[in-house]
Amino acid sequence: MSAYCLGPLLHEGKAKRVYTTDQPDLLAVEFKDDATAFNAQKRAQLSGKGFLNCQISALLFEYLELQGIPTHFLGLPPASSTSAVGEAGDEASGEAGGNWMLVRPVRVVPLEVVIRNIAAGSLCKQLPIAPGTRLEQPLLDLYYKDDGLGDPLLSEARLRLLGLVDDAQRIAIEQLAWRVNTALRPLFAGLNLELVDFKIELGYSADGQLLLADEISPDNCRLWDRGIADSQARILDKDRFRQDLGGVVEAYGEVLKRVQGVCPESRVYR
Ligand code: TMP
Ligand code: ASP
């Protein structure tokens, strides 16, 4: 028997649904198979993506916790139960499919924090920098999380103008993002994967602690296979979907296989 019951849907985003539970300090996140890009102008259903992103995120959160980086991750549901999930009041103990995760509730800071180690994506569209250029100093970009506005890039002055966070909070957010980069870059390098860039989201727990939230998966990281020179064949992330390269789920599966090889098993929430 699990120690919690699933409550009503709290929030549905493009890639996940967040449910309340009967415990005030526990939320259940369902990773969807929906793939979107370019602010959801491009959409598809990719069977298995939710499972892969959930499992990859769980392993990476677990790894980051071991490195002293606080995250919202509380564990995966126990696999033993067979109860169905999805309706309010269901017992959320054996979310079939492995695409559920238990997390601590946070007040999400509406910022997308991007760290870039190698030039790719929007950086190369907006500036005269060739894709694949190694950045001597990794770059941290802050975006205002608002789909209606297309998640605009922020300057420090614009962030101050918005008043979302004060200077001390901004510094703490940026420091946490740098620590994630410092932890994940060598982890992936050891798996023969280049962490080109990634986007994270953060939030404050009820007791005011800044936590890494959302997910860390090939949906929001660029990962290149270091053993492959071809600029398309090496892509193991959502750029396969964005660029219509095919093999998206297979690429995510390869990432999970490699991450499973080095990360401690994910906690089970009981
Ligand atoms: P960008 O090059 O499109 O700015 O993306 C930088 C990184 O952020 C890349 O790893 C993909 C990720 N990302 C998201 O997770 N969500 C988004 O909405 C966007 C635009 C990028
Ligand atoms: N995450 C955004 C979307 O779902 C953009 C992207 O990842 O390209 O539309």
Side-chain angles (χ1 to χ4, degrees):
M1 286 291 279
S2 83
Y4 63 93
C5 286
L6 205 61
L9 179 69
L10 186 66
H11 170 76
E12 177 157 9
K14 292 190 289 263
K16 296 183 287 301
R17 293 186 190 94
V18 182
Y19 291 86
T20 57
T21 71
D22 58 350
Q23 296 180 19
D25 52 354
L26 187 72
L27 298 177
V29 180
E30 180 190 15
F31 286 66
K32 301 193 286 184
D33 283 342
D34 303 48
T36 66
F38 312 117
N39 206 6
Q41 288 176 67
K42 177 171 178 164
R43 292 168 178 276
Q45 279 283 308
L46 298 174
S47 180
K49 184 180 84 85
F51 165 80
L52 291 164
N53 281 351
C54 179
Q55 299 298 316
I56 293 167
S57 292
L59 289 166
L60 294 176
F61 281 140
E62 199 72 82
Y63 179 80
L64 291 171
E65 288 273 356
L66 283 176
Q67 308 297 308
I69 294 171
T71 80
H72 71 159
F73 181 66
L74 288 174
L76 295 174
S80 54
S81 166
T82 53
S83 63
V85 152
E87 302 292 323
D90 273 353
E91 197 178 88
S93 54
E95 288 79 356
N99 60 330
W100 288 79
M101 173 186 289
L102 287 317
V103 302
R104 274 208 268 175
V106 294
R107 181 173 54 79
V108 175
V109 180
L111 291 175
E112 300 199 341
V113 186
V114 171
I115 289 190
R116 302 171 191 276
N117 296 306
I118 292 181
S122 67
L123 183 68
C124 302
K125 289 202 183 99
Q126 293 163 0
L127 296 175
I129 302 176
T133 306
R134 196 165 286 275
L135 304 177
E136 216 165 283
Q137 290 289 331
L139 184 66
L140 187 151
D141 284 329
L142 294 177
Y143 296 83
Y144 178 46
K145 186 176 161 61
D146 186 317
D147 282 344
L149 296 174
D151 300 334
L153 177 64
L154 292 171
S155 63
E156 222 171 283
R158 285 186 180 206
L159 180 60
R160 247 182 236 124
L161 187 66
L162 280 176
L164 297 172
V165 289
D166 61 29
D167 280 355
Q169 288 171 323
R170 177 183 58 77
I171 289 165
I173 287 167
E174 293 186 357
Q175 276 174 352
L176 205 120
W178 287 121
R179 287 176 66 200
V180 171
N181 193 44
T182 301
L184 290 188
R185 220 181 161 184
L187 175 84
F188 283 122
L191 304 175
N192 218 19
L193 292 171
E194 193 75 64
L195 180 60
V196 173
D197 58 28
F198 64 88
K199 182 270 294 181
I200 54 172
E201 297 179 25
L202 303 105
Y204 289 96
S205 62
D207 59 0
Q209 197 189 3
L210 182 64
L211 302 179
L212 181 58
D214 193 46
E215 66 178 283
I216 307 184
S217 75
D219 263 14
N220 37 46
C221 298
R222 284 195 173 92
L223 294 165
W224 292 349
D225 191 328
R226 289 160 62 137
I228 299 177
D230 181 85
S231 64
Q232 291 189 336
R234 69 186 175 189
I235 295 172
L236 294 177
D237 57 69
K238 197 161 90 173
D239 273 350
R240 298 206 72 81
F241 174 65
R242 295 190 188 97
Q243 298 175 28
D244 291 320
L245 299 177
V248 183
V249 172
E250 291 76 7
Y252 286 34
E254 178 62 25
V255 173
L256 175 60
K257 199 175 82 187
R258 294 195 200 185
V259 171
Q260 274 172 333
V262 291
C263 284
E265 231 175 88
S266 309
R267 251 168 301 165
V268 172
Y269 183 85
R270 292 181 198 281

